[in-house]
């Protein structure tokens, strides 16, 4: 039985922030592999499997617009929360009314993709877990529109609609461009030093190939 799924996702806005442009947010031209994985995990996640993105099909032209969004300028630090839990510091708090500010964002509009993904079993899979069981659950959840939490396109305020792709060959648009270095995923192998990984992204006739790409650190 195939371990792969095809998920059609679409929405009015998306923001896949480039890490080098944090203050005034600018989106990548297309959904990143890590965002695509997070979107699928919102539909079905289990500790016994890990989703891998194979390719992304672009179904609508790349278009940007500028908006202003309310954000907070401060962060709650893990170290502060840990100190409060140990009784050696104050309980952290963030008051949005005092900390709020508007920031400009360059976001994608009218996004529409088909994501090809498969999973591999992890060492946390139980003896009763198997590939057939997981793929049946994932496809059943897709067909019913079920999710653990609402999938989104980069930010919670940009929700993503989804369904299983059952239309045969994906009619990706005829768009070819070099997308440059793109965020691939975060490397969690060392919990004390989580590092981003990147890859050289290139759109070929509307298809971004992810599987087999060289990952740069």
């Amino acid at each position: 039985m195939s371990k792969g799924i095809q998920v059609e996702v679409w929405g009015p806005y998306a923001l896949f922030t480039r890490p080098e442009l944090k203050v005034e947010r600018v989106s990548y031209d297309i959904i990143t592999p890590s965002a695509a994985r997070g979107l699928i995990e919102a539909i079905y996640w289990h500790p016994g499997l890990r989703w891998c993105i194979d390719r992304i099909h672009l179904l609508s032209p790349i278009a940007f617009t500028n908006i202003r969004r309310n954000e907070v300028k401060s962060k709650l630090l893990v170290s502060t929360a840990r100190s409060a839990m140990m009784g050696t510091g104050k309980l952290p708090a963030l008051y949005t009314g005092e900390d709020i500010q508007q920031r400009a964002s360059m976001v994608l509009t009218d996004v529409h993709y088909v994501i090809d993904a498969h999973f591999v079993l992890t060492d946390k899979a139980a003896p009763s877990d198997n590939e057939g069981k997981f793929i049946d659950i994932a496809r059943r959840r897709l067909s019913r529109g079920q999710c653990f939490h609402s999938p989104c396109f980069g930010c919670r305020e940009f929700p993503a609609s989804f369904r299983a792709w059952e239309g045969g060959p994906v009619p990706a648009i005829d768009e070819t461009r070099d997308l440059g270095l793109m965020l691939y995923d975060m490397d969690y192998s060392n919990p004390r030093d989580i590092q981003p990984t990147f890859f050289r992204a290139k759109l070929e006739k509307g298809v971004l190939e992810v599987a087999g790409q060289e990952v740069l650190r």
Side-chain angles (χ1 to χ4, degrees):
M1 180 177 292
S2 171
K3 297 181 292 181
I5 59 173
Q6 286 188 305
V7 184
E8 181 183 6
V9 295
W10 68 95
Y13 295 104
L15 176 55
F16 311 111
T17 306
R18 292 179 175 271
E20 69 271 22
L21 301 169
K22 291 183 178 179
V23 177
E24 303 295 329
R25 300 180 185 275
V26 178
S27 177
Y28 282 108
D29 293 10
I30 191 173
I31 186 171
T32 63
S34 59
R37 178 179 56 79
L39 195 153
I40 292 177
E41 287 179 346
I43 300 169
Y44 181 54
W45 177 87
H46 189 282
L49 63 85
R50 177 170 58 85
W51 288 105
C52 304
I53 305 302
D54 296 319
R55 66 191 55 83
I56 298 165
H57 306 264
L58 178 66
L59 272 64
S60 62
I62 298 171
F64 288 91
T65 190
N66 286 301
I67 63 173
R68 298 190 71 84
R69 301 166 58 243
N70 289 329
E71 300 187 19
V72 291
K73 58 186 177 182
S74 303
K75 295 181 180 179
L76 295 180
L77 301 177
V78 173
S79 58
T80 306
R82 186 180 295 115
S83 297
M85 293 170 62
M86 300 297 293
T88 58
K90 294 182 179 180
L91 188 67
L94 193 155
Y95 303 99
T96 57
E98 301 173 1
D99 217 36
I100 199 168
Q101 63 180 198
Q102 280 201 340
R103 291 180 177 175
S105 298
M106 182 175 288
V107 303
L108 293 164
T109 62
D110 299 322
V111 295
H112 193 182
Y113 312 111
V114 170
I115 301 168
D116 292 0
H118 73 279
F119 65 83
V120 294
L121 298 179
T122 70
D123 56 3
K124 295 184 179 179
S128 61
D129 293 332
N130 59 74
E131 296 172 354
K133 167 187 170 180
F134 284 148
I135 198 65
D136 285 345
I137 294 173
R139 289 173 176 169
R140 186 164 59 249
R141 292 180 67 84
L142 272 173
S143 66
R144 295 175 179 176
Q146 294 176 310
C147 56
F148 291 119
H149 60 84
S150 297
C152 63
F153 286 124
C155 297
R156 291 293 182 192
E157 61 263 45
F158 302 145
S161 301
F162 69 92
R163 63 188 174 198
W165 176 259
E166 298 176 349
V170 183
I173 66 173
D174 189 8
E175 175 79 24
T176 297
R177 67 171 73 178
D178 189 345
L179 302 177
L181 281 179
M182 176 179 284
L183 180 67
Y184 178 77
D185 215 329
M186 303 299 291
D187 182 3
Y188 295 97
S189 57
N190 183 357
R192 295 183 178 274
D193 187 24
I194 301 171
Q195 294 292 325
T197 59
F198 299 85
F199 75 112
R200 177 66 68 177
K202 187 173 183 180
L203 198 62
E204 290 279 0
K205 294 185 177 180
V207 179
L208 175 63
E209 288 288 346
V210 179
Q213 296 289 340
E214 180 183 2
V215 177
L216 308 174
R217 302 178 186 277

